[in-house]
Amino acid sequence: GENVEQHPSTLSVQEGDSAVIKCTYSDSASNYFPWYKQELGKGPQLIIDIRSNVGEKKDQRIAVTLNKTAKHFSLHITETQPEDSAVYFCAASTGRWSGGGADGLTFGKGTHLIIQP
Amino acid sequence: DGGITQSPKYLFRKEGQNVTLSCEQNLNHDAMYWYRQDPGQGLRLIYYSQIVNDFQKGDIAEGYSVSREKKESFPLTVTSAQKNPTAFYLCASSRQGGITDTQYFGPGTRLTVL
């Protein structure tokens, strides 16, 4: 099955600097890559996603890049702010249906992003 | 307000007891999911349901059961057969059953088995 590796596990940056979180996946058939932000004690919230037919997607200060050949994708946050502090998860899915059901999203283990004032 | 609600937020049970976690959505989504989250770990899929009266096992279904009698509800029962039930449980839903549809998560239930 799919395996998603996420690095780093903890990332500390100065407020205003950029943050980059990287993920690699194993199944070349994966075609959907969402990123979620989780604040303490809450459920994850989707912040951006990308599908395999594009290489980059931006939404204000957040961008995601995808390299299908290398099987990795990255989250970029520019001009970081204190409210960006949270745990970020990447995920991948092939979207295949097997045995009557669908392959689920496979999540990375998360990156704890700390924004230093 | 549209969204996904999970109750209760915190749940304590004695070892050997079954416990049911509630998940309700008013988004008119067809698909619903249950995930388990352990400290320092990603989310792992327990069960999912594409439509009413149908559900499929995920990666870690052993010791859990679900039902989907109504479109808006997808309760999860943690049985006494689950060897390590203490965890944060998250329910999600998506508009359709395709796994690449955006999944929206509820606030979670933290289950502690004493």
Side-chain angles (χ1 to χ4, degrees), chain B residues 20-55:
Chain B
T20 298
L21 282 59
S22 168
C23 178
E24 304 277 332
Q25 55 98 359
N26 61 3
L27 301 168
N28 199 33
H29 285 174
D30 286 326
M32 297 186 75
Y33 313 82
W34 274 105
Y35 291 89
R36 171 184 172 134
Q37 185 176 27
D38 294 285
Q41 300 292 315
L43 284 67
R44 291 182 290 168
L45 183 66
I46 305 172
Y47 267 99
Y48 59 92
S49 168
Q50 294 173 254
I51 55 172
V52 174
N53 293 322
D54 182 66
F55 49 84

Side-chain angles (χ1 to χ4, degrees), chain B residues 34 46-49 55-56 64-68 74-77:
Chain B
W34 274 105
I46 305 172
Y47 267 99
Y48 59 92
S49 168
F55 49 84
Q56 304 289 337
Y64 300 98
S65 65
V66 294
S67 63
R68 186 86 187 276
F74 190 40
L76 173 75
T77 296

Side-chain angles (χ1 to χ4, degrees), chain B residues 85-97:
Chain B
T86 294
F88 191 46
Y89 289 88
L90 289 157
C91 178
S93 70
S94 64
R95 188 172 55 89
Q96 296 176 342

Side-chain angles (χ1 to χ4, degrees), chain A residues 43-64:
Chain A
Q45 284 190 306
L46 180 76
I47 55 171
I48 196 167
D49 57 12
I50 192 168
R51 298 178 192 271
S52 59
N53 56 343
V54 297
E56 184 176 5
K57 184 176 178 180
K58 288 183 180 179
D59 183 3
Q60 299 183 335
R61 296 186 297 109
I62 294 171
V64 57

Side-chain angles (χ1 to χ4, degrees), chain A residues 31-32 36 38 41-46 49 51 87 89 93-110, chain B residues 9-10 33 35 37 40-45 48 50 54 56-57 59 88 90 97-108 110:
Chain A
N31 56 17
Y32 175 59
Y36 285 87
Q38 186 176 29
K42 297 184 178 179
Q45 284 190 306
L46 180 76
D49 57 12
R51 298 178 192 271
V87 179
F89 291 97
S93 173
T94 64
R96 283 190 298 244
W97 296 92
S98 58
D103 289 344
L105 282 172
T106 300
F107 284 83
K109 292 187 176 181
Chain B
K9 189 171 177 65
Y10 298 97
Y33 313 82
Y35 291 89
Q37 185 176 27
Q41 300 292 315
L43 284 67
R44 291 182 290 168
L45 183 66
Y48 59 92
Q50 294 173 254
D54 182 66
Q56 304 289 337
K57 291 182 179 180
D59 299 323
F88 191 46
L90 289 157
I99 208 68
T100 57
D101 287 335
T102 300
Q103 293 186 27
Y104 298 91
F105 285 84
R110 187 168 298 281

